[in-house]
Amino acid sequence: MSTTQRLIAQADTLIKTGRYQDLIPLYEQLEFQVSAIELEAVPMNTIYEPLLASYLVAYDLYSARSLVQRIPEVLKTESQQLTVLIQVLDLLRQWERQNGHLKDIYKLLHQSRWNSALAPLIAVLQDSIQNRELDLLAKAYTSLPVQLAASRIWLNEDTAAEQLVATRGWTYDASTRLLYPKAPEVITNRPIGLQEFGQLADVVAHLEVKQESS
């Protein structure tokens, strides 16, 4: 088995076992491996699609944009799944600038067709987007109408209330139809992302140049 075949098999195992945090470095290695050797037997969209989805799951929009910029235009139009993921990236960037709605992303992901290899990762992406929105709601509100929460995560009110109580520890008052969010846990040891790494590299390079000139 070649190195590329081994990495592809390893990626499939990671998806099946839910170890999504390990997909990004593996698919980055795969992209370099296949691009450098130019293996025609490995379609690049089978690498670009899960890599882009993995960046979106990690909410690394900087790396996602960089990937889209280096994907050949012909592949963007040939792959319907890749086209949808690029649309999701654009919608996430709009939402980040506060001029977009996450429900548009839910609708796009839900209504699109995904092959069996990518479907598990898309399910994780949907959950990660939903959790990000719920974290923001929990930070912004001490209480909020169930209608508001349901509209933000694209669920009906009863399902939203039941899910938020069961999975996130929120409290629900059926008489007032108000939800009382539980504050999200603060993660202090967050691993450095590619965007922060790039910024750090720029700072180090600047310091090195400054030192050489002094």
Side-chain angles (χ1 to χ4, degrees):
M1 179 181 292
S2 67
T3 301
T4 301
Q5 290 173 327
R6 178 178 56 79
L7 289 173
I8 292 174
Q10 187 177 348
D12 290 339
T13 300
L14 290 176
I15 292 177
K16 290 177 182 177
T17 56
R19 295 169 55 193
Y20 302 106
Q21 70 277 8
D22 298 325
L23 283 175
I24 289 178
L26 190 144
Y27 274 113
E28 287 176 339
Q29 185 180 352
L30 258 175
E31 182 193 5
F32 174 78
Q33 180 88 12
V34 176
S35 299
I37 304 177
E38 297 182 349
L39 296 177
E40 296 182 357
V42 181
M44 287 303 296
N45 66 307
T46 62
I47 297 173
Y48 289 140
E49 291 168 3
L51 179 55
L52 181 53
S54 297
Y55 283 141
L56 296 178
V57 168
Y59 204 71
D60 188 349
L61 304 189
Y62 176 85
S63 296
R65 286 184 61 197
S66 297
L67 174 62
V68 170
Q69 289 172 357
R70 63 179 183 267
I71 295 176
E73 290 298 325
V74 64
L75 290 182
K76 295 178 185 178
T77 57
E78 285 181 351
S79 169
Q80 180 62 33
Q81 294 187 140
L82 195 55
T83 299
V84 173
L85 287 172
I86 293 173
Q87 292 173 347
V88 170
L89 170 61
D90 291 338
L91 289 171
L92 278 174
R93 293 179 62 204
Q94 292 175 25
W95 174 75
E96 192 176 50
R97 295 192 296 267
Q98 298 183 344
N99 60 356
H101 302 282
L102 286 185
K103 65 180 180 181
D104 295 331
I105 304 176
Y106 298 144
K107 185 176 181 180
L108 181 60
L109 290 173
H110 181 73
Q111 293 181 347
S112 301
R113 293 185 177 182
W114 307 99
N115 61 33
S116 58
L118 201 59
L121 191 53
I122 297 302
V124 175
L125 174 57
Q126 291 174 315
D127 287 343
S128 70
I129 293 173
Q130 184 181 88
N131 287 332
R132 179 170 293 275
E133 174 72 349
L134 291 173
D135 284 346
L136 291 176
L137 288 175
K139 292 177 181 178
Y141 295 92
T142 55
S143 65
L144 71 160
V146 65
Q147 180 183 7
L148 173 60
S151 67
R152 295 293 186 91
I153 57 177
W154 211 45
L155 292 175
N156 65 58
E157 295 180 19
D158 292 336
T159 302
E162 182 179 348
Q163 177 176 311
L164 293 172
V165 170
T167 64
R168 297 183 68 92
W170 290 20
T171 303
Y172 178 56
D173 187 339
S175 62
T176 60
R177 299 192 68 78
L178 287 177
L179 282 163
Y180 297 86
K182 178 181 178 182
E185 295 181 4
V186 178
I187 301 175
T188 55
N189 295 324
R190 184 178 63 87
I192 187 169
L194 291 181
Q195 181 173 7
E196 291 90 342
F197 184 81
Q199 293 169 344
L200 179 60
D202 290 341
V203 172
V204 172
H206 175 74
L207 292 175
E208 289 177 346
V209 171
K210 184 175 181 180
Q211 185 177 11
E212 291 176 358
S213 61
S214 60

